[in-house]
Amino acid sequence: MKIKAAVLRKTGAEISLEELELESPRESEVLVELKASGICHSDYHVVTGDAVHELPVVLGHEGAGIIKEIGEGVSALKPGDHVALSWIPFCGSCYFCMHGKTNLCKAYTGPLWEGTMFDGTTRLRDSSGGSVRHLSSLACWATHAVVPEQSCVPIPEELPMDVASIIGCAVTTGVGAALNKARVLPGSSVVVYGAGGVGMSVVMGAKLAGADKIIVVDISESKKDFAQSFGATHFLLDEKGTLDKIKAVTDGRGSDYAFEAVGNTDIETQLIDTIRPGGIAVMIGFPASGKKFQVNPAEIIRDEKILTGSIYGTAHTKRDFVKYGELFLNGKLPVDRLITRSCSLEEINDACKKMKNGDEGRIIINFN
């Protein structure tokens, strides 16, 4: 079938809107008609080359839609099902899955990184017959996508598609880091570096957990009202003296928890200094490929500080997507307020520029 898709053909170049040929789903695959897709920094890292990927590729890893067709062997899904897409599908039978760490499943890492389906081939062809890759085996900056059944999580039909799309990445990454990884306790203090979609999802998770002080740090003063609307009790500009201000707010000790949701190694370096003795610092944002930073091991040992990471909110996506969707429907997780702008697929380059400027919440491609 013919589809419209956002294709990146050259690192650093603009994304082109093209008509592509999409093959029918093969064994254990489904065809999804996309209804909404989020615009995430991780997609833009491919554009800039901070994340290396085979080209050409259809970007997009944060999407939701309706199943239109199923391939041979698909039994848990059917046409008409509403689904959110997961960019870390899991096998359910490996060591990590059997120990409740489905987000660490490595069964499909190869094809996910290569931008193919699980059999190592692609389903997309351009007008010259050339193969086009699928980012994260999803490629959901497109009107339709063929995806592995393992990448689909059924969601309630009453859940809005734009909300479901960002539950598929930003919300799960941030809320899950607070609830699943750090396990924020009631009455605690939390620092969040970065007031984007993931950072505000950490704030929502911390508030849901009952944190008493939620301190958001960002480079833009314009994010203050945005952060406070999600539950931030304090807002600080990321500048000289910020660590002293954090300690002043936390009775001189440092915070109980700190989260880095930007992917900046300079910020990750100061996470250890942000938390109190015995505190937990969680890295969420991905820095550019190859970037490293140093920490003082004596401080970690002496003060029993914990520096850790969280991939995809340490989530079990088939459980957590539905959980977060129900919390939204019950008014306990204001995911919809993350969405500050909608655009068409034709406006993708302009939307990416707005996202890069950092003045927006989440921008959604609305296929309706």
Side-chain angles (χ1 to χ4, degrees), residues 93-123:
S93 58
C94 69
Y95 173 89
F96 296 105
C97 289
M98 295 300 289
H99 287 78
K101 298 292 185 180
T102 57
N103 64 313
L104 299 180
C105 177
K106 308 300 182 186
Y108 309 118
T109 299
L112 290 173
W113 286 7
E114 291 294 325
T116 67
M117 294 293 101
F118 293 167
D119 64 1
T121 65
T122 69
R123 303 291 171 267

PDB file of all heavy atoms in Angstrom, residues 93-123:
ATOM      1  N   SER A  93      10.745 -14.627  27.751  1.00  0.00           N
ATOM      2  CA  SER A  93      11.300 -15.914  28.166  1.00  0.00           C
ATOM      3  C   SER A  93      12.782 -15.884  28.509  1.00  0.00           C
ATOM      4  O   SER A  93      13.321 -16.886  28.977  1.00  0.00           O
ATOM      5  CB  SER A  93      11.077 -16.960  27.067  1.00  0.00           C
ATOM      6  OG  SER A  93      11.678 -16.540  25.845  1.00  0.00           O
ATOM      7  N   CYS A  94      13.464 -14.758  28.294  1.00  0.00           N
ATOM      8  CA  CYS A  94      14.897 -14.689  28.589  1.00  0.00           C
ATOM      9  C   CYS A  94      15.125 -14.465  30.092  1.00  0.00           C
ATOM     10  O   CYS A  94      14.176 -14.300  30.863  1.00  0.00           O
ATOM     11  CB  CYS A  94      15.560 -13.563  27.786  1.00  0.00           C
ATOM     12  SG  CYS A  94      15.065 -11.897  28.302  1.00  0.00           S
ATOM     13  N   TYR A  95      16.390 -14.423  30.501  1.00  0.00           N
ATOM     14  CA  TYR A  95      16.734 -14.230  31.907  1.00  0.00           C
ATOM     15  C   TYR A  95      16.102 -12.958  32.463  1.00  0.00           C
ATOM     16  O   TYR A  95      15.517 -12.958  33.556  1.00  0.00           O
ATOM     17  CB  TYR A  95      18.257 -14.171  32.058  1.00  0.00           C
ATOM     18  CG  TYR A  95      18.725 -13.808  33.448  1.00  0.00           C
ATOM     19  CD1 TYR A  95      18.948 -14.798  34.404  1.00  0.00           C
ATOM     20  CD2 TYR A  95      18.930 -12.478  33.815  1.00  0.00           C
ATOM     21  CE1 TYR A  95      19.374 -14.475  35.688  1.00  0.00           C
ATOM     22  CE2 TYR A  95      19.353 -12.142  35.103  1.00  0.00           C
ATOM     23  CZ  TYR A  95      19.565 -13.134  36.029  1.00  0.00           C
ATOM     24  OH  TYR A  95      19.965 -12.808  37.296  1.00  0.00           O
ATOM     25  N   PHE A  96      16.229 -11.840  31.728  1.00  0.00           N
ATOM     26  CA  PHE A  96      15.723 -10.556  32.229  1.00  0.00           C
ATOM     27  C   PHE A  96      14.201 -10.552  32.328  1.00  0.00           C
ATOM     28  O   PHE A  96      13.636 -10.060  33.311  1.00  0.00           O
ATOM     29  CB  PHE A  96      16.218  -9.420  31.337  1.00  0.00           C
ATOM     30  CG  PHE A  96      17.713  -9.263  31.350  1.00  0.00           C
ATOM     31  CD1 PHE A  96      18.482  -9.677  30.272  1.00  0.00           C
ATOM     32  CD2 PHE A  96      18.365  -8.736  32.449  1.00  0.00           C
ATOM     33  CE1 PHE A  96      19.859  -9.550  30.287  1.00  0.00           C
ATOM     34  CE2 PHE A  96      19.742  -8.604  32.486  1.00  0.00           C
ATOM     35  CZ  PHE A  96      20.492  -9.019  31.400  1.00  0.00           C
ATOM     36  N   CYS A  97      13.538 -11.075  31.310  1.00  0.00           N
ATOM     37  CA  CYS A  97      12.071 -11.134  31.357  1.00  0.00           C
ATOM     38  C   CYS A  97      11.586 -12.006  32.502  1.00  0.00           C
ATOM     39  O   CYS A  97      10.635 -11.650  33.209  1.00  0.00           O
ATOM     40  CB  CYS A  97      11.532 -11.663  30.026  1.00  0.00           C
ATOM     41  SG  CYS A  97      11.702 -10.513  28.638  1.00  0.00           S
ATOM     42  N   MET A  98      12.248 -13.144  32.715  1.00  0.00           N
ATOM     43  CA  MET A  98      11.835 -14.066  33.771  1.00  0.00           C
ATOM     44  C   MET A  98      12.102 -13.494  35.159  1.00  0.00           C
ATOM     45  O   MET A  98      11.533 -13.960  36.142  1.00  0.00           O
ATOM     46  CB  MET A  98      12.557 -15.411  33.614  1.00  0.00           C
ATOM     47  CG  MET A  98      12.187 -16.152  32.335  1.00  0.00           C
ATOM     48  SD  MET A  98      10.416 -16.553  32.221  1.00  0.00           S
ATOM     49  CE  MET A  98      10.302 -17.826  33.459  1.00  0.00           C
ATOM     50  N   HIS A  99      12.961 -12.460  35.247  1.00  0.00           N
ATOM     51  CA  HIS A  99      13.252 -11.827  36.521  1.00  0.00           C
ATOM     52  C   HIS A  99      12.617 -10.443  36.624  1.00  0.00           C
ATOM     53  O   HIS A  99      13.044  -9.603  37.428  1.00  0.00           O
ATOM     54  CB  HIS A  99      14.770 -11.732  36.745  1.00  0.00           C
ATOM     55  CG  HIS A  99      15.406 -13.051  37.074  1.00  0.00           C
ATOM     56  ND1 HIS A  99      15.677 -14.008  36.116  1.00  0.00           N
ATOM     57  CD2 HIS A  99      15.813 -13.600  38.265  1.00  0.00           C
ATOM     58  CE1 HIS A  99      16.217 -15.065  36.692  1.00  0.00           C
ATOM     59  NE2 HIS A  99      16.306 -14.850  37.994  1.00  0.00           N
ATOM     60  N   GLY A 100      11.587 -10.203  35.828  1.00  0.00           N
ATOM     61  CA  GLY A 100      10.807  -8.978  35.940  1.00  0.00           C
ATOM     62  C   GLY A 100      11.467  -7.744  35.384  1.00  0.00           C
ATOM     63  O   GLY A 100      11.041  -6.622  35.685  1.00  0.00           O
ATOM     64  N   LYS A 101      12.512  -7.900  34.552  1.00  0.00           N
ATOM     65  CA  LYS A 101      13.229  -6.760  33.972  1.00  0.00           C
ATOM     66  C   LYS A 101      13.041  -6.748  32.455  1.00  0.00           C
ATOM     67  O   LYS A 101      13.996  -6.773  31.681  1.00  0.00           O
ATOM     68  CB  LYS A 101      14.719  -6.838  34.321  1.00  0.00           C
ATOM     69  CG  LYS A 101      15.016  -6.770  35.814  1.00  0.00           C
ATOM     70  CD  LYS A 101      14.688  -5.403  36.388  1.00  0.00           C
ATOM     71  CE  LYS A 101      15.092  -5.294  37.849  1.00  0.00           C
ATOM     72  NZ  LYS A 101      14.764  -3.960  38.413  1.00  0.00           N
ATOM     73  N   THR A 102      11.797  -6.672  32.031  1.00  0.00           N
ATOM     74  CA  THR A 102      11.505  -6.752  30.597  1.00  0.00           C
ATOM     75  C   THR A 102      12.126  -5.599  29.815  1.00  0.00           C
ATOM     76  O   THR A 102      12.405  -5.741  28.619  1.00  0.00           O
ATOM     77  CB  THR A 102       9.989  -6.768  30.354  1.00  0.00           C
ATOM     78  OG1 THR A 102       9.403  -5.593  30.948  1.00  0.00           O
ATOM     79  CG2 THR A 102       9.346  -8.000  30.976  1.00  0.00           C
ATOM     80  N   ASN A 103      12.351  -4.467  30.471  1.00  0.00           N
ATOM     81  CA  ASN A 103      12.948  -3.333  29.763  1.00  0.00           C
ATOM     82  C   ASN A 103      14.425  -3.567  29.443  1.00  0.00           C
ATOM     83  O   ASN A 103      15.015  -2.808  28.668  1.00  0.00           O
ATOM     84  CB  ASN A 103      12.804  -2.037  30.579  1.00  0.00           C
ATOM     85  CG  ASN A 103      13.561  -2.079  31.894  1.00  0.00           C
ATOM     86  OD1 ASN A 103      13.479  -3.056  32.641  1.00  0.00           O
ATOM     87  ND2 ASN A 103      14.301  -1.024  32.201  1.00  0.00           N
ATOM     88  N   LEU A 104      15.022  -4.606  30.023  1.00  0.00           N
ATOM     89  CA  LEU A 104      16.410  -4.947  29.744  1.00  0.00           C
ATOM     90  C   LEU A 104      16.535  -6.124  28.782  1.00  0.00           C
ATOM     91  O   LEU A 104      17.658  -6.593  28.512  1.00  0.00           O
ATOM     92  CB  LEU A 104      17.158  -5.275  31.050  1.00  0.00           C
ATOM     93  CG  LEU A 104      17.240  -4.149  32.083  1.00  0.00           C
ATOM     94  CD1 LEU A 104      18.002  -4.623  33.314  1.00  0.00           C
ATOM     95  CD2 LEU A 104      17.909  -2.907  31.492  1.00  0.00           C
ATOM     96  N   CYS A 105      15.417  -6.600  28.242  1.00  0.00           N
ATOM     97  CA  CYS A 105      15.434  -7.725  27.298  1.00  0.00           C
ATOM     98  C   CYS A 105      16.277  -7.362  26.073  1.00  0.00           C
ATOM     99  O   CYS A 105      16.113  -6.300  25.480  1.00  0.00           O
ATOM    100  CB  CYS A 105      14.009  -8.070  26.880  1.00  0.00           C
ATOM    101  SG  CYS A 105      13.903  -9.404  25.653  1.00  0.00           S
ATOM    102  N   LYS A 106      17.181  -8.255  25.699  1.00  0.00           N
ATOM    103  CA  LYS A 106      18.078  -8.020  24.568  1.00  0.00           C
ATOM    104  C   LYS A 106      17.716  -8.856  23.340  1.00  0.00           C
ATOM    105  O   LYS A 106      18.453  -8.871  22.352  1.00  0.00           O
ATOM    106  CB  LYS A 106      19.527  -8.338  24.966  1.00  0.00           C
ATOM    107  CG  LYS A 106      20.010  -7.654  26.248  1.00  0.00           C
ATOM    108  CD  LYS A 106      19.955  -6.145  26.167  1.00  0.00           C
ATOM    109  CE  LYS A 106      20.497  -5.508  27.449  1.00  0.00           C
ATOM    110  NZ  LYS A 106      20.332  -4.033  27.458  1.00  0.00           N
ATOM    111  N   ALA A 107      16.578  -9.524  23.380  1.00  0.00           N
ATOM    112  CA  ALA A 107      16.244 -10.469  22.319  1.00  0.00           C
ATOM    113  C   ALA A 107      16.174  -9.814  20.946  1.00  0.00           C
ATOM    114  O   ALA A 107      16.505 -10.437  19.933  1.00  0.00           O
ATOM    115  CB  ALA A 107      14.914 -11.163  22.641  1.00  0.00           C
ATOM    116  N   TYR A 108      15.740  -8.554  20.904  1.00  0.00           N
ATOM    117  CA  TYR A 108      15.518  -7.908  19.609  1.00  0.00           C
ATOM    118  C   TYR A 108      16.422  -6.693  19.393  1.00  0.00           C
ATOM    119  O   TYR A 108      16.174  -5.878  18.503  1.00  0.00           O
ATOM    120  CB  TYR A 108      14.051  -7.479  19.494  1.00  0.00           C
ATOM    121  CG  TYR A 108      13.081  -8.596  19.803  1.00  0.00           C
ATOM    122  CD1 TYR A 108      12.194  -8.506  20.879  1.00  0.00           C
ATOM    123  CD2 TYR A 108      13.060  -9.761  19.044  1.00  0.00           C
ATOM    124  CE1 TYR A 108      11.311  -9.531  21.172  1.00  0.00           C
ATOM    125  CE2 TYR A 108      12.193 -10.796  19.336  1.00  0.00           C
ATOM    126  CZ  TYR A 108      11.317 -10.673  20.403  1.00  0.00           C
ATOM    127  OH  TYR A 108      10.452 -11.704  20.682  1.00  0.00           O
ATOM    128  N   THR A 109      17.473  -6.575  20.206  1.00  0.00           N
ATOM    129  CA  THR A 109      18.344  -5.395  20.119  1.00  0.00           C
ATOM    130  C   THR A 109      18.939  -5.221  18.727  1.00  0.00           C
ATOM    131  O   THR A 109      19.009  -4.101  18.205  1.00  0.00           O
ATOM    132  CB  THR A 109      19.471  -5.490  21.164  1.00  0.00           C
ATOM    133  OG1 THR A 109      18.896  -5.525  22.466  1.00  0.00           O
ATOM    134  CG2 THR A 109      20.400  -4.295  21.064  1.00  0.00           C
ATOM    135  N   GLY A 110      19.378  -6.321  18.111  1.00  0.00           N
ATOM    136  CA  GLY A 110      20.000  -6.244  16.789  1.00  0.00           C
ATOM    137  C   GLY A 110      19.129  -5.564  15.752  1.00  0.00           C
ATOM    138  O   GLY A 110      19.498  -4.528  15.185  1.00  0.00           O
ATOM    139  N   PRO A 111      17.947  -6.102  15.463  1.00  0.00           N
ATOM    140  CA  PRO A 111      17.083  -5.459  14.463  1.00  0.00           C
ATOM    141  C   PRO A 111      16.601  -4.069  14.866  1.00  0.00           C
ATOM    142  O   PRO A 111      16.438  -3.197  14.013  1.00  0.00           O
ATOM    143  CB  PRO A 111      15.909  -6.436  14.318  1.00  0.00           C
ATOM    144  CG  PRO A 111      15.981  -7.347  15.498  1.00  0.00           C
ATOM    145  CD  PRO A 111      17.415  -7.403  15.884  1.00  0.00           C
ATOM    146  N   LEU A 112      16.385  -3.833  16.167  1.00  0.00           N
ATOM    147  CA  LEU A 112      15.961  -2.509  16.607  1.00  0.00           C
ATOM    148  C   LEU A 112      17.009  -1.468  16.249  1.00  0.00           C
ATOM    149  O   LEU A 112      16.688  -0.374  15.767  1.00  0.00           O
ATOM    150  CB  LEU A 112      15.699  -2.506  18.113  1.00  0.00           C
ATOM    151  CG  LEU A 112      14.473  -3.265  18.612  1.00  0.00           C
ATOM    152  CD1 LEU A 112      14.466  -3.303  20.129  1.00  0.00           C
ATOM    153  CD2 LEU A 112      13.188  -2.645  18.104  1.00  0.00           C
ATOM    154  N   TRP A 113      18.265  -1.769  16.492  1.00  0.00           N
ATOM    155  CA  TRP A 113      19.347  -0.836  16.203  1.00  0.00           C
ATOM    156  C   TRP A 113      19.617  -0.733  14.700  1.00  0.00           C
ATOM    157  O   TRP A 113      20.034   0.316  14.214  1.00  0.00           O
ATOM    158  CB  TRP A 113      20.616  -1.241  16.948  1.00  0.00           C
ATOM    159  CG  TRP A 113      20.553  -0.951  18.424  1.00  0.00           C
ATOM    160  CD1 TRP A 113      19.468  -0.514  19.131  1.00  0.00           C
ATOM    161  CD2 TRP A 113      21.607  -1.079  19.367  1.00  0.00           C
ATOM    162  NE1 TRP A 113      19.778  -0.369  20.457  1.00  0.00           N
ATOM    163  CE2 TRP A 113      21.085  -0.703  20.642  1.00  0.00           C
ATOM    164  CE3 TRP A 113      22.940  -1.477  19.284  1.00  0.00           C
ATOM    165  CZ2 TRP A 113      21.855  -0.717  21.807  1.00  0.00           C
ATOM    166  CZ3 TRP A 113      23.711  -1.497  20.439  1.00  0.00           C
ATOM    167  CH2 TRP A 113      23.173  -1.115  21.686  1.00  0.00           C
ATOM    168  N   GLU A 114      19.363  -1.823  13.986  1.00  0.00           N
ATOM    169  CA  GLU A 114      19.593  -1.813  12.545  1.00  0.00           C
ATOM    170  C   GLU A 114      18.441  -1.159  11.778  1.00  0.00           C
ATOM    171  O   GLU A 114      18.586  -0.812  10.612  1.00  0.00           O
ATOM    172  CB  GLU A 114      19.789  -3.249  12.045  1.00  0.00           C
ATOM    173  CG  GLU A 114      21.082  -3.904  12.506  1.00  0.00           C
ATOM    174  CD  GLU A 114      22.310  -3.229  11.915  1.00  0.00           C
ATOM    175  OE1 GLU A 114      22.236  -2.775  10.755  1.00  0.00           O
ATOM    176  OE2 GLU A 114      23.322  -3.130  12.626  1.00  0.00           O
ATOM    177  N   GLY A 115      17.290  -1.000  12.448  1.00  0.00           N
ATOM    178  CA  GLY A 115      16.148  -0.387  11.776  1.00  0.00           C
ATOM    179  C   GLY A 115      15.421  -1.324  10.836  1.00  0.00           C
ATOM    180  O   GLY A 115      14.909  -0.909   9.787  1.00  0.00           O
ATOM    181  N   THR A 116      15.345  -2.604  11.228  1.00  0.00           N
ATOM    182  CA  THR A 116      14.648  -3.597  10.411  1.00  0.00           C
ATOM    183  C   THR A 116      13.539  -4.252  11.230  1.00  0.00           C
ATOM    184  O   THR A 116      13.388  -3.999  12.423  1.00  0.00           O
ATOM    185  CB  THR A 116      15.614  -4.687   9.930  1.00  0.00           C
ATOM    186  OG1 THR A 116      16.058  -5.459  11.064  1.00  0.00           O
ATOM    187  CG2 THR A 116      16.820  -4.080   9.220  1.00  0.00           C
ATOM    188  N   MET A 117      12.782  -5.122  10.594  1.00  0.00           N
ATOM    189  CA  MET A 117      11.905  -6.008  11.331  1.00  0.00           C
ATOM    190  C   MET A 117      12.755  -7.117  11.966  1.00  0.00           C
ATOM    191  O   MET A 117      13.961  -7.204  11.728  1.00  0.00           O
ATOM    192  CB  MET A 117      10.848  -6.619  10.400  1.00  0.00           C
ATOM    193  CG  MET A 117       9.862  -5.603   9.825  1.00  0.00           C
ATOM    194  SD  MET A 117       8.758  -4.852  11.060  1.00  0.00           S
ATOM    195  CE  MET A 117       9.551  -3.274  11.298  1.00  0.00           C
ATOM    196  N   PHE A 118      12.133  -7.983  12.751  1.00  0.00           N
ATOM    197  CA  PHE A 118      12.893  -8.969  13.504  1.00  0.00           C
ATOM    198  C   PHE A 118      13.572 -10.004  12.603  1.00  0.00           C
ATOM    199  O   PHE A 118      14.525 -10.671  13.026  1.00  0.00           O
ATOM    200  CB  PHE A 118      12.004  -9.683  14.519  1.00  0.00           C
ATOM    201  CG  PHE A 118      11.517  -8.782  15.631  1.00  0.00           C
ATOM    202  CD1 PHE A 118      10.495  -9.199  16.480  1.00  0.00           C
ATOM    203  CD2 PHE A 118      12.071  -7.528  15.839  1.00  0.00           C
ATOM    204  CE1 PHE A 118      10.043  -8.376  17.509  1.00  0.00           C
ATOM    205  CE2 PHE A 118      11.632  -6.699  16.857  1.00  0.00           C
ATOM    206  CZ  PHE A 118      10.613  -7.120  17.695  1.00  0.00           C
ATOM    207  N   ASP A 119      13.103 -10.128  11.357  1.00  0.00           N
ATOM    208  CA  ASP A 119      13.736 -11.084  10.438  1.00  0.00           C
ATOM    209  C   ASP A 119      14.893 -10.462   9.666  1.00  0.00           C
ATOM    210  O   ASP A 119      15.488 -11.096   8.791  1.00  0.00           O
ATOM    211  CB  ASP A 119      12.710 -11.684   9.469  1.00  0.00           C
ATOM    212  CG  ASP A 119      12.104 -10.642   8.535  1.00  0.00           C
ATOM    213  OD1 ASP A 119      12.478  -9.454   8.619  1.00  0.00           O
ATOM    214  OD2 ASP A 119      11.238 -11.022   7.713  1.00  0.00           O
ATOM    215  N   GLY A 120      15.227  -9.205   9.983  1.00  0.00           N
ATOM    216  CA  GLY A 120      16.365  -8.549   9.345  1.00  0.00           C
ATOM    217  C   GLY A 120      16.056  -7.854   8.038  1.00  0.00           C
ATOM    218  O   GLY A 120      16.960  -7.313   7.397  1.00  0.00           O
ATOM    219  N   THR A 121      14.797  -7.825   7.643  1.00  0.00           N
ATOM    220  CA  THR A 121      14.398  -7.159   6.399  1.00  0.00           C
ATOM    221  C   THR A 121      13.514  -5.945   6.715  1.00  0.00           C
ATOM    222  O   THR A 121      13.064  -5.765   7.850  1.00  0.00           O
ATOM    223  CB  THR A 121      13.635  -8.118   5.472  1.00  0.00           C
ATOM    224  OG1 THR A 121      12.395  -8.502   6.101  1.00  0.00           O
ATOM    225  CG2 THR A 121      14.457  -9.379   5.195  1.00  0.00           C
ATOM    226  N   THR A 122      13.263  -5.145   5.699  1.00  0.00           N
ATOM    227  CA  THR A 122      12.392  -3.980   5.874  1.00  0.00           C
ATOM    228  C   THR A 122      11.092  -4.178   5.108  1.00  0.00           C
ATOM    229  O   THR A 122      10.994  -5.045   4.242  1.00  0.00           O
ATOM    230  CB  THR A 122      13.080  -2.692   5.370  1.00  0.00           C
ATOM    231  OG1 THR A 122      13.206  -2.750   3.948  1.00  0.00           O
ATOM    232  CG2 THR A 122      14.446  -2.524   5.999  1.00  0.00           C
ATOM    233  N   ARG A 123      10.094  -3.367   5.448  1.00  0.00           N
ATOM    234  CA  ARG A 123       8.792  -3.423   4.751  1.00  0.00           C
ATOM    235  C   ARG A 123       8.553  -2.162   3.921  1.00  0.00           C
ATOM    236  O   ARG A 123       7.498  -2.006   3.327  1.00  0.00           O
ATOM    237  CB  ARG A 123       7.652  -3.567   5.767  1.00  0.00           C
ATOM    238  CG  ARG A 123       7.756  -4.762   6.691  1.00  0.00           C
ATOM    239  CD  ARG A 123       7.555  -6.087   5.962  1.00  0.00           C
ATOM    240  NE  ARG A 123       7.884  -7.184   6.854  1.00  0.00           N
ATOM    241  CZ  ARG A 123       9.092  -7.745   6.919  1.00  0.00           C
ATOM    242  NH1 ARG A 123      10.065  -7.307   6.126  1.00  0.00           N
ATOM    243  NH2 ARG A 123       9.332  -8.724   7.760  1.00  0.00           N
TER     244      ARG A 123
END
